[in-house]
Amino acid sequence: TEIDWKAYMDEVEGFANGTLDYTQLKGDTGPLVYPAGFVYIFLGLYYATGRGTDIRLAQYLFAGLYLLNLLLVFRIYCRTNKVPPYVFFFMCCASYRIHSIFVLRLFNDTVAMAILFLAVNLFLEERWSWGCLIFSLAVSVKMNILLFAPGLLFLLLKRFGLLGCIPKLCICALLQVLLGLPFLLVNPVGYLTRSFDLGRQFQFKWTVNWRFLPEEVFHHRAFHTTLLLAHLAGLGLFALHRWHRSRESILALLKDPAERKHPSHPLSIVFVLFSSNFLGVCCSRSLHYQFYVWYFHTLPYLLWCTPTAKLAHMPKVLLLGVIELCWNTYPSTVCSSLSLHICHGLVLLQLWYGTAPLPAPHNLQPGKKPAPLSKKVH
């Protein structure tokens, strides 16, 4: 249970001893491959736990992080008012893998996701500048948070237009520069290539989602390129046909909101962010067991954000159960990895067909006024 924790502590110990060359920071599992925010946060844990030796205290701290993460997630779900209350039981009590990732294995993915959910809460409160700052902080802990970035960019363009969203993007960039500055001054190329390495190879033995493929296909560059193109295509289709809810061209997002001709339908901030992340998860080159936390707490929303008949609740609960079973199969098998992709595909189909564009208002019967649009944008 302490393999990853020990590696984290070895990585930040070098920084504690004065090493500022990122290429020299290493642990038992290899070189440090996370941005600078990870170093500062885990350096604090390094000192709080007696230089990483008090693992029991670290587990207590991560148990507190787990409860804070649930609080932030519940607050998001209360604002959206989409998910039936009984589903929260499964979120809290029915996932052995998530409990292990948080409290047993102490992965940095959990820290990044808790900070991300804080940013989502700030977006829901219309505190966009603070939200962008916290979002960038989450990115500085682990790069998987960038899967939410296309959705966030869309939301910023819709809310502020092109010129209005530039200051928000500058906030994100400036924080990354400030956090990485000590390492950038010593070895900028080493820091950027290590902490933001988009081409890093994953080991086949740890993959959860591609076990059914031959290993040579898993490592082939053409396969990676295909996944990237599929990801970009998915984002484009969702942006054009599911996130964009106006009769104007999507290029109208570049204008100031006050200059747009047609108002758009209310847009769910949570739907755009969570679906953006889910598309990235579906097209990931490899999912390891700790990566489950990247989207576990978003799954109930993705399943229940579309209109649901009373009899359709049970298949959704079953889908959650099958996904959980796939993630708890160790090592992964051909059957478990195929089942995971089938479940992901079913969720995507529901998101696509369940959020079809609303009918045009000219189809209303004469004499009837259209119902007022809800003011909720969550």
Side-chain angles (χ1 to χ4, degrees):
T1 60
E2 57 184 69
I3 293 174
D4 296 279
W5 171 259
K6 189 176 184 301
Y8 293 163
M9 294 299 100
D10 289 343
E11 289 164 356
V12 300
E13 186 176 33
F15 177 62
N17 293 332
T19 302
L20 295 179
D21 185 344
Y22 227 67
T23 61
Q24 300 304 311
L25 299 177
K26 301 176 182 178
D28 287 348
T29 58
L32 174 60
V33 292
Y34 309 120
F38 161 86
V39 176
Y40 301 130
I41 291 173
F42 277 81
L43 182 66
L45 292 170
Y46 172 80
Y47 286 120
T49 57
R51 300 182 180 271
T53 58
D54 193 345
I55 298 177
R56 178 60 61 87
L57 175 58
Q59 290 178 317
Y60 286 142
L61 293 173
F62 271 77
L65 176 68
Y66 175 63
L67 296 176
L68 175 62
N69 184 80
L70 283 178
L71 180 64
L72 293 169
V73 170
F74 287 174
R75 193 172 185 273
I76 293 169
Y77 278 88
C78 287
R79 294 292 299 271
T80 58
N81 197 27
K82 294 281 188 182
V83 179
Y86 69 85
V87 176
F88 294 110
F89 167 81
F90 296 97
M91 187 185 293
C92 295
C93 305
S95 179
Y96 163 81
R97 181 62 64 187
I98 291 299
H99 296 162
S100 172
I101 292 169
F102 268 93
V103 183
L104 186 63
R105 300 301 296 272
L106 315 178
F107 283 110
N108 65 325
D109 306 71
T110 62
V111 179
M113 290 306 300
I115 298 173
L116 180 277
F117 287 128
L118 175 59
V120 175
N121 274 277
L122 290 169
F123 294 143
L124 292 176
E125 296 290 342
E126 291 289 324
R127 298 180 181 179
W128 291 95
S129 295
W130 280 107
C132 288
L133 183 73
I134 299 302
F135 180 87
S136 185
L137 178 62
V139 172
S140 77
V141 177
K142 191 157 186 179
M143 265 203 316
N144 71 284
I145 304 299
L146 289 175
L147 296 179
F148 292 89
L152 177 58
L153 177 61
F154 182 93
L155 291 170
L156 291 174
L157 288 171
K158 182 181 183 299
R159 180 68 175 77
F160 301 103
L162 178 60
L163 294 179
C165 84
I166 290 177
K168 313 300 180 188
L169 298 178
C170 288
I171 291 173
C172 296
L174 182 60
L175 182 67
Q176 294 299 323
V177 173
L178 291 175
L179 292 174
L181 192 59
F183 309 104
L184 289 169
L185 292 175
V186 173
N187 185 354
V189 175
Y191 174 72
L192 293 174
T193 54
R194 280 289 173 82
S195 58
F196 295 99
D197 182 8
L198 297 175
R200 187 158 58 101
Q201 282 281 7
F202 294 102
Q203 295 183 27
F204 183 69
K205 67 178 181 178
W206 294 116
T207 187
V208 177
N209 57 332
W210 296 115
R211 179 67 63 181
F212 62 91
L213 292 177
E215 187 169 356
E216 58 272 18
V217 174
F218 174 81
H219 290 297
H220 202 284
R221 289 292 181 183
F223 175 61
H224 302 163
T225 303
T226 302
L227 290 175
L228 176 61
L229 293 176
H231 186 196
L232 294 175
L235 289 171
L237 288 171
F238 267 76
L240 288 169
H241 301 291
R242 291 302 178 265
W243 299 346
H244 187 56
R245 293 274 177 161
S246 172
R247 287 177 288 166
E248 283 188 280
S249 165
I250 196 170
L251 295 177
L253 293 175
L254 302 178
K255 301 178 183 177
D256 186 285
E259 298 177 359
R260 295 170 190 164
K261 295 180 181 179
H262 300 286
S264 60
H265 295 292
L267 186 65
S268 169
I269 293 172
V270 178
F271 173 74
V272 173
L273 291 174
F274 284 8
S275 59
S276 173
N277 177 64
F278 185 70
L279 286 166
V281 169
C282 292
C283 299
S284 291
R285 286 189 289 122
S286 184
L287 293 175
H288 296 177
Y289 286 95
Q290 67 269 32
F291 297 178
Y292 190 23
V293 78
W294 291 6
Y295 75 123
F296 170 80
H297 294 100
T298 72
L299 282 173
Y301 178 85
L302 295 173
L303 285 168
W304 272 273
C305 67
T306 56
T308 304
K310 289 183 179 180
L311 295 178
H313 286 268
M314 189 53 66
K316 294 183 178 183
V317 173
L318 180 62
L319 202 58
L320 286 176
V322 175
I323 292 174
E324 177 70 21
L325 183 61
C326 293
W327 282 97
N328 279 287
T329 302
Y330 177 81
S332 61
T333 64
V334 170
C335 181
S336 69
S337 58
L338 275 174
S339 299
L340 186 63
H341 279 289
I342 292 171
C343 291
H344 287 173
L346 291 173
V347 176
L348 278 177
L349 286 174
Q350 176 186 276
L351 290 175
W352 182 260
Y353 290 105
T355 57
L358 299 174
H362 64 265
N363 292 334
L364 293 173
Q365 295 179 4
K368 287 190 176 181
K369 295 182 179 180
L373 293 174
S374 169
K375 293 183 180 180
K376 290 185 178 180
V377 293
H378 313 311

